[in-house]
Amino acid sequence: VMSPQQLGHAELVAYRRAVPSPNFTRTLHDVRITAFGPDMAIAMCEFKRSDTTLHGFQTQTWVRLGAQWKIVSAHVSMIPMPA
C-alpha cells in the first residue's frame, strides 16, 4: 500500500498526526554516507521491516543551514527482491 505523497513540511506534519504509529521494527544495513564538501551529504541505506518480506531502500539529502543540519529531500521505496 502506497502512502499519499506529502509535499512540504506542513503536509508531512499533518500526515504524521493523522496516521497511527507503525507497529513494526526496522533493521538498517548497508548504510552509506557520502559527503559533498563540509555542508552537504547523502545518506543511503537498505532495511528490512518485521511486517513484510519487501526489501527497503532509503535516501536522505542533508544540508547544513547555518548551525543546523536539515534533511532537504528524502525517499523510501520497498520492493520485492529475487530469491
Side-chain angles (χ1 to χ4, degrees):
V1 174
M2 296 295 289
S3 296
Q5 184 174 353
Q6 299 93 45
L7 299 174
H9 184 261
E11 287 187 23
L12 179 60
V13 169
Y15 174 80
R16 289 194 174 159
R17 282 189 182 139
V19 175
S21 297
N23 188 21
F24 59 80
T25 59
R26 190 169 79 146
T27 304
L28 302 181
H29 61 91
D30 295 324
V31 175
R32 302 166 303 282
I33 299 174
T34 304
F36 296 92
D39 298 317
M40 182 182 170
I42 306 291
M44 297 171 284
C45 71
E46 297 178 40
F47 62 89
K48 288 293 295 172
R49 283 183 14 184
S50 61
D51 65 334
T52 181
T53 60
L54 296 176
H55 191 85
F57 297 87
Q58 181 170 347
T59 303
Q60 296 176 338
T61 302
W62 289 75
V63 175
R64 187 192 324 252
L65 300 171
Q68 296 183 327
W69 283 91
K70 301 277 186 172
I71 298 170
V72 296
S73 179
H75 180 79
V76 176
S77 297
M78 298 191 68
I79 64 169
M81 293 295 281

